[in-house]
Amino acid sequence: MLYMAFVAIANYTQANYELGYALKFMRIITLVLTAVFGIWGYGAGLFSGAGPETFSPNAVLTRQAAAKLLFGFAGGQAGTETLFYGVYDGTYTDSGRIAKWARPAVYWSVYHEILPRDSQDRLNPGEAVTRAQLASMLVRCLERDIL
């Protein structure tokens, strides 16, 4: 009986050790993949950073920046939505606040119904994107086979 208790404790300790090791390994893999993604994203032109030598990884992700990233992942090619730029400019009350670098991406995401507007027909391009909004944007991209 004592032997069985010892084996059970040893197995539990070994399982916890292996789980802890696996979690540490996963954290390292995540950091490596984040660095690789950052280098790849910069090289692919998905983002250019906040300055010549700065990416501001802790800065807030805005709604227009999230649209730009998704637009880049989808190939970064504007299509039919360019015909509606004038309509979108008149429809959304804050369309003038969309940054020049983000305009094609924001209107692409509006055309594909990825970036939701609020109840007052605003896109709120400079506001922080919430986790829920980002998750819904990703789901919409996946549902439409965009990514």
Side-chain angles (χ1 to χ4, degrees):
M1 180 101 168
L2 185 61
Y3 174 75
M4 291 175 63
F6 177 74
V7 169
I9 290 171
N11 285 339
Y12 177 76
T13 304
Q14 180 66 25
N16 279 343
Y17 174 77
E18 289 173 3
L19 178 63
Y21 179 75
L23 290 174
K24 286 179 185 175
F25 180 73
M26 290 304 296
R27 281 189 220 125
I28 292 169
I29 293 297
T30 302
L31 291 173
V32 169
L33 288 176
T34 302
V36 168
F37 170 75
I39 293 167
W40 171 81
Y42 178 75
L46 293 178
F47 48 86
S48 59
E53 298 178 14
T54 315
F55 282 102
S56 300
N58 297 324
V60 174
L61 182 67
T62 63
R63 291 168 51 89
Q64 63 189 359
K68 175 73 172 167
L69 285 172
L70 293 174
F71 181 63
F73 281 130
Q77 296 294 319
T80 310
E81 68 275 4
T82 58
L83 300 172
F84 298 105
Y85 279 15
V87 174
Y88 294 153
D89 284 339
T91 302
Y92 301 107
T93 58
D94 61 349
S95 61
R97 295 188 316 164
I98 300 170
K100 184 178 179 181
W101 57 265
R103 188 173 184 231
V106 169
Y107 285 160
W108 168 85
S109 64
V110 168
Y111 179 78
H112 291 287
E113 299 176 343
I114 296 167
L115 185 67
R117 64 179 186 255
D118 67 10
S119 61
Q120 298 172 344
D121 282 333
R122 292 182 306 198
L123 294 171
N124 303 315
E127 289 186 12
V129 65
T130 65
R131 290 186 289 180
Q133 290 170 343
L134 186 58
S136 75
M137 290 169 72
L138 289 170
V139 166
R140 289 177 183 151
C141 284
L142 293 172
E143 287 175 345
R144 291 164 176 80
D145 289 327
I146 293 172
L147 297 179

